[in-house]
Every structure is written in structure tokens, then in C-alpha cells.
Amino acid sequence: MTAIRSVVLGCGSYLPERVLTNAELAARIDTSDDWIVQRTGIRQRHIAADDEFTSHLAIKAALAALAHAQIDAQTIDLIVLATSTPDNTFPATAVAVQHALGINHGVAFDLQAVCSGFVFALTTADNFLRAGAHKRALVIGAETFSRLLDWSDRGTCVLFGDGAGAVVLEAQPHAGTIADPGMLTTHLRSDGRHKSKLFVDGGPGSTKTVGHLRMEGREVFKHAVGMITDVIVDAFNATGLTADDINWFIPHQANKRIIDASAHKLHIAPQKVVLTVDQHGNTSAASIPLALSVAVKDGRVKKGDLVLFEAMGGGFTWGSALVRW
Ligand code: ACO
């Protein structure tokens, strides 16, 4: 029997030039490099220039992914862009990317699931491809979270940064076994009871302002590990695979302590965990493809490897995706 699989053809990423270190933050607010590194693992973050928008980061990541996949942009007929920091309230940032790539066919839209955005976008594109509606997809996570931060709130401003990452997916016929390449299983969840634990206190429909990010850090931490491990167990149950079968665990890069605790609970060996949060902080929907691009570029992720993605974020939303490279 053959089935359509969404196979990853390539990936790419982009970080803005400007690096903001913990030491620079400590000179501005009551914090320290020690506190930030100990509680989060973050050493620096990248900040977009004033005239650099989310779409600009997304375009650079998309071009890198297309180059890595060695395919022509004209063969893309689906763009799903995950962001909570669009250039404008509308139109979707995805159409700006589509236009910049010279694509006038197919469909491009944004998707908003905050830090889980990339896993939600990957799942959405996978379903479009497996339905036979589209052939090649660009899945992008791109954020300028620096624009949402209250720079006087030390409990949040030290955690986040800007960046973008992208993957190219292609619908291919395969036997459909767990040994075949592509997306093996995806699992998404949300629970709005937690919506006030991590939110932005503005919006076009309420305050008519952009607003600032607000977070009950301890509450987020308390729920994160349980939610993350639940959806990963769902992925294992759906495929019959176990933590031992995983080659690379590429989690949402929010906080090293959350990542370590999740890996420990799941019995995933520390050497299988891809960690880049120290270099760019929490870049929300961009963090997974940023980490993935590093691990692909440095040769860790190889053809045939089993790669596990997970994310959790505002809403709360959370999800997992298991991919054969
Ligand atoms: N520098 C120095 N001290 C600080 C800072 C800072 N940047 N921020 C807070 N503090 C202080 C607090 O004011 C408090 O001081 P007090 O005891 O005098 O009142 C003390 O540190 C402890 O504060 P807590 O908030 O209890 O610190 P905690 O150990 O919980 O660490 C943190 C805070 C890092 C935010 C933690 O709760 C966390 O990691 N939460 C998860 C948040 C997260 O990752 N969110 C990302 C979005 S969701 C996601 O992507 C999964």
C-alpha cells in the first residue's frame, strides 16, 4: 500500500545581526548574567533592527531553506507561516513572503499558536500535503518578540529574542511505514483555561494597541513539563516507537531547565538533545527550526534519523511531531 508522506527536503534559518548579551541587560535592569544563565540557560539574544520586520527575517530563512533543499521557489504551492508578531494586523505576513519569493500561485497564510506555532504549522502543512491538495510547502516560524517586551520587566524581557527558521516539505508516495522518510505522526493540544498565564495585554480588537507580553513564569514552568511529555507519549503510542529509538530531540528552545526536565522524564539521553537557547533565547515559533538548522548544518541530523519536535506556549497550546529525516 502506498501513502502520501510529507518529506523534509531542506531547512534554513536567520538571526538578526544585533546581539544583546546578558551583561548588557544587567547594565540596564536589576538582573545578572548568573541569574539568567542559572534559571534559563540563555546567554544572549538577537534583536531585529528598527527597519527589520518579521517578514524580512522569514524571507531570509525561507531563501536559506530553499537553497538547502536545492529547489526553485516557483515549485512551492503552500506557505504556512507561524508568528505572533506579524508585520501588520493584516494582511498575513505569509503573503509578504510569498510576494518577495515571486510566487503568485498556490496559497499562503499565517497561523498563530505562540511558541507552539511551528509544530502547529508543520502539522497543518502535513495535513494539506497528505490530503493531496498541495505538492510542496514552506513552513516558517518567524518572530520579532523584542517588539512585544516590556523592557522594564526583568521577569520577561531577559527571556525572549528575534529570529526565523523554515523547512521545505514535499508530498511523496511511500509505503507508509515508520522506516519511510517524512512526518510520521503529529499531536496538537490547547486549553484556554490557562490563557491569562501567558498573554499580550493589547490587541486590535480590545485595546487597539499592540500591548506587552505578560507572564506568570512559575505557573508556565509548573505546567510545561507535564504537557510536553504528554504529547510526546502520544507520539510514541501512535507509532510504537520509544525514547531509545529517537536520534535527536529538538524541543522548543524556551528554557534549558524545562528542556532538561522533559528529556529526563522521558528517559531521552542528554546527548540526543539539541540545545541552542543559550545563543538566541526564546524566539517563540522560530526556535525549533533555528535549532534544527544548527543540528543539520553541523552534521548531527543525518538521513534516516528519527527527529522529535515538541513545543508548548501561550494559550496554553502544545504539540509534538515525529519525523524520519
Ligand atoms: N533577574 C534577577 N532576578 C529576577 C529576574 C531577573 N531577570 N526575574 C525575576 N527575578 C526575581 C523575582 O523578582 C523574584 O524575586 P523575589 O524572590 O525577591 O520576589 C525571584 O527572582 C524569583 O522569581 P520567580 O519568578 O519565582 O523565579 P523562577 O525561579 O520561577 O524563575 C523564570 C523565573 C525563569 C521565568 C521561570 O519561572 C521560568 O522559566 N518559567 C517558564 C517561563 C518560560 O519559559 N516562558 C516562555 C514562554 S512559554 C514557553 O515557551 C514554554
Side-chain angles (χ1 to χ4, degrees):
M1 201 186 85
T2 57
I4 297 178
R5 269 283 164 81
S6 308
V7 175
V8 184
L9 297 185
C11 60
S13 64
Y14 174 75
L15 286 165
E17 251 174 59
R18 165 83 168 102
V19 171
L20 178 62
T21 63
N22 291 349
E24 278 177 88
L25 278 174
R28 289 188 205 167
I29 53 168
D30 185 14
T31 190
S32 66
D33 179 52
D34 267 4
W35 193 96
I36 301 172
V37 172
Q38 248 181 41
R39 307 279 174 129
T40 71
I42 298 166
R43 293 184 182 277
Q44 61 176 43
R45 70 286 296 140
H46 293 246
I47 306 292
D50 287 346
D51 60 353
E52 204 173 24
F53 304 161
T54 295
S55 64
H56 301 142
L57 312 190
I59 291 160
K60 287 188 168 144
L63 287 171
L66 290 167
H68 183 238
Q70 296 185 296
I71 62 152
D72 184 343
Q74 291 306 320
T75 64
I76 297 290
D77 56 5
L78 172 66
I79 300 175
V80 188
L81 190 153
T83 190
S84 303
T85 45
D87 291 7
N88 297 87
T89 302
F90 76 78
T93 301
V95 299
V97 176
Q98 183 191 30
H99 177 61
L101 296 177
I103 305 171
N104 304 317
H105 59 268
V107 62
F109 58 89
D110 287 2
L111 184 153
Q112 207 266 62
V114 206
C115 297
S116 307
F118 183 75
V119 176
F120 276 57
L122 204 58
T123 302
T124 303
D126 176 41
N127 280 295
F128 271 61
L129 294 182
R130 285 192 299 110
H134 296 82
K135 186 77 183 131
R136 274 185 178 165
L138 251 177
V139 181
I140 307 169
E143 303 279 17
T144 46
F145 253 55
S146 63
R147 310 252 153 86
L148 293 179
L149 299 176
D150 172 354
W151 289 98
S152 66
D153 175 12
R154 66 177 182 172
T156 55
C157 76
V158 304
L159 303 175
F160 297 90
D162 303 336
V167 301
V168 178
L169 292 181
E170 181 179 68
Q172 291 182 3
H174 279 284
T177 74
I178 54 165
D180 293 315
M183 309 269 299
L184 303 187
T185 190
T186 58
H187 300 267
L188 303 184
R189 298 282 304 278
S190 63
D191 185 346
R193 282 177 300 178
H194 304 286
K195 67 186 170 63
S196 61
K197 294 184 176 113
L198 175 53
F199 70 107
V200 170
D201 63 3
S206 53
T207 58
K208 294 180 260 179
T209 61
V210 172
H212 289 116
L213 184 148
R214 306 292 174 204
M215 180 177 71
E216 295 174 34
R218 284 223 162 162
E219 279 296 307
V220 175
F221 200 102
K222 203 173 82 187
H223 287 88
V225 177
M227 288 177 163
I228 288 164
T229 51
D230 274 0
V231 276
I232 291 176
V233 169
D234 286 348
F236 288 157
N237 289 340
T239 54
L241 294 161
T242 70
D244 287 341
D245 299 310
I246 301 301
N247 296 100
W248 302 107
F249 179 45
I250 308 189
H252 166 47
Q253 308 284 317
N255 180 311
K256 185 176 183 302
R257 283 195 302 159
I258 295 176
I259 294 172
D260 288 347
S262 309
H264 180 75
K265 192 169 170 194
L266 289 158
H267 305 291
I268 296 173
Q271 63 271 21
K272 294 182 177 179
V273 181
V274 176
L275 257 184
T276 55
V277 69
D278 57 320
Q279 292 303 303
H280 53 65
N282 184 347
T283 56
S284 188
S287 89
I288 291 176
L290 275 165
L292 171 69
S293 296
V294 168
V296 168
K297 223 180 209 171
D298 69 20
R300 271 180 285 177
V301 175
K302 291 183 211 58
K303 199 169 161 48
D305 279 357
L306 195 58
V307 181
L308 174 62
F309 301 124
E310 64 77 7
M312 181 263 185
F316 291 143
T317 54
W318 63 109
S320 66
L322 201 46
V323 182
R324 177 78 64 191
W325 205 253

